[in-house]
């Protein structure tokens, strides 16, 4: 896995993007999101355009951990301003996706920069925050959800998602989400690959002993599969041919209750990955320093 050096952009609230006091910064990197990330990935690759692009142009099946690491860094850049921030990351993503095109298994032409598919991926990231809060934290109020969506629309603009492809309010975004689930999403090879990777995560390196890895990760895989599948919209779950029982529902709710209880007592530094929390601390420090300088002036 290639190691990347990341920097922290000086002004996190550039161009109207969310900063340290925003709903987006508070919600996006919360640790329980690891239990919802699989749901978001399934929602993305169930879109025919995204699924075909991942299947034909991605190394996800062979190197899922390095792919996950790169995706994590990318989201940290455009949400929290790592490196040169959202605008530069948006330009990079456009360049990367420009050549991803082809014909899928059903003979449909696709392009990764299809505006609706590109905007759909962005919407799933907003939905990810809502679902994480609803299941593993304190559910977002109507006002909090609306603030988050307006902040995330600003992030979308930096990523070259056009306003007309992002509904103006969360109510409209929710309606569009339901429409895409009902009319567009499908079972495909990429959804099957993701489900297999969740249930049977491969070792991150060939030198990791497979038997020891399986001993630790198979139970973790069962938990992540439970949460990823259980949080999916029921209609999509059925379309993917996934069995979900009342016993599964009870297990998911018990597990979510335990996570919520743990999160309530964790100190703030332990509620976020180190990289994201470092960005938040630096931004807060810069805000305090800026206010102190204004007062002294």
């Amino acid at each position: 896995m290639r190691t990347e050096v990341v920097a922290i952009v000086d002004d996190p609230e550039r161009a109207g993007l969310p900063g340290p006091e925003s709903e987006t910064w508070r919600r996006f990197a919360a640790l329980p999101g690891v239990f919802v990330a699989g749901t978001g990935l399934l929602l993305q690759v169930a879109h025919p355009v995204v699924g075909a692009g991942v299947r034909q142009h991605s190394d996800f099946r062979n190197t899922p951990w390095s792919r996950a690491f790169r995706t994590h860094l990318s989201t940290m850049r455009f949400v929290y301003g790592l490196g040169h921030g959202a605008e530069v990351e948006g330009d990079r993503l456009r360049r990367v996706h420009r050549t991803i095109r082809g014909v899928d298994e059903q003979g449909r032409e696709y392009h990764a920069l299809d505006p609706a598919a590109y905007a759909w991926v962005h919407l799933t990231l907003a939905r990810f925050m809502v679902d994480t809060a609803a299941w593993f934290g304190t559910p977002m109020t109507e006002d909090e959800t609306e603030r988050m969506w307006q902040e995330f629309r600003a992030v979308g603009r930096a990523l070259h998602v056009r306003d007309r492809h992002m509904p103006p309010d969360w109510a409209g975004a929710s309606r569009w989400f339901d429409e895409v689930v009902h009319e567009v999403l499908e079972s495909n090879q990429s959804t099957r690959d993701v489900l297999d990777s969740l249930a049977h995560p491969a070792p991150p390196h060939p030198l990791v002993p497979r038997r020891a890895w399986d001993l630790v990760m198979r139970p973790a895989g069962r938990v992540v599969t439970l949460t990823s599948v259980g949080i999916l919209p029921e209609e999509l779950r059925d379309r993917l041919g996934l069995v979900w029982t009342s016993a599964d529902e009870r297990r998911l709710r018990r597990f979510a209750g335990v996570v919520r209880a743990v999160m309530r007592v964790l100190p703030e530094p332990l509620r976020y990955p180190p990289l994201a929390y470092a960005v938040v601390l630096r931004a807060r420090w810069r805000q305090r320093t800026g206010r102190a300088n204004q007062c002294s002036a």
Side-chain angles (χ1 to χ4, degrees), residues 1 7 13 16 54 63 71-72 75 86 107-108 116 124 126 137 148 174 189 201 206 237 249 255 257 264 280 289 294:
M1 182 183 298
E13 296 187 347
V54 169
T63 59
T71 299
H72 174 67
T75 58
R108 299 170 298 194
T124 64
M148 176 278 296
S174 296
Q189 187 58 52
R237 198 163 55 211
E249 184 73 20
F255 178 73
R264 281 195 292 269
V280 173
T289 302
Q294 288 179 351

Side-chain angles (χ1 to χ4, degrees), residues 82-115:
L82 293 182
H84 298 289
E87 295 89 349
V88 172
E89 182 63 8
D91 292 342
R92 187 191 73 84
L93 289 172
R94 295 285 291 190
R95 289 194 301 272
V96 167
H97 288 87
R98 191 170 294 135
T99 59
I100 299 177
R101 63 173 71 222
V103 178
D104 70 12
E105 296 172 352
Q106 298 187 37
R108 299 170 298 194
E109 293 186 357
Y110 71 88
H111 191 294
L113 292 181
D114 173 88

Side-chain angles (χ1 to χ4, degrees), residues 236-278:
L236 179 59
R237 198 163 55 211
D238 293 342
R239 197 173 303 152
L240 298 182
L242 300 171
V243 176
W244 186 255
T245 67
S246 56
D248 292 327
E249 184 73 20
R250 289 193 296 272
R251 281 194 290 270
L252 174 58
R253 293 189 179 278
R254 283 197 299 268
F255 178 73
V258 171
V259 174
R260 286 195 299 270
V262 171
M263 290 299 293
R264 281 195 292 269
V265 299
L266 278 182
E268 186 186 59
L270 299 181
R271 297 176 191 169
Y272 300 91
L275 192 58
Y277 195 64

Side-chain angles (χ1 to χ4, degrees), residues 77-157:
R77 291 181 188 121
F78 64 71
V79 173
Y80 290 97
L82 293 182
H84 298 289
E87 295 89 349
V88 172
E89 182 63 8
D91 292 342
R92 187 191 73 84
L93 289 172
R94 295 285 291 190
R95 289 194 301 272
V96 167
H97 288 87
R98 191 170 294 135
T99 59
I100 299 177
R101 63 173 71 222
V103 178
D104 70 12
E105 296 172 352
Q106 298 187 37
R108 299 170 298 194
E109 293 186 357
Y110 71 88
H111 191 294
L113 292 181
D114 173 88
Y118 208 67
W120 169 250
V121 171
H122 193 65
L123 175 59
T124 64
L125 296 176
R127 177 71 178 229
F128 160 81
M129 287 185 274
V130 174
D131 286 342
T132 301
W135 280 93
F136 300 108
T138 302
M140 298 169 68
T141 66
E142 185 176 333
D143 288 344
E144 288 170 341
T145 307
E146 190 60 41
R147 283 198 300 273
M148 176 278 296
W149 178 238
Q150 296 308 322
E151 294 161 2
F152 223 61
R153 291 180 80 234
V155 174
R157 294 184 193 104

Side-chain angles (χ1 to χ4, degrees), residues 8 10-11 17 27 29 120 132 158 202-203 209 254 258 260 276 296:
I8 299 175
D10 282 342
D11 182 8
L17 292 169
R27 306 279 184 177
W120 169 250
T132 301
R254 283 197 299 268
V258 171
R260 286 195 299 270
S296 61

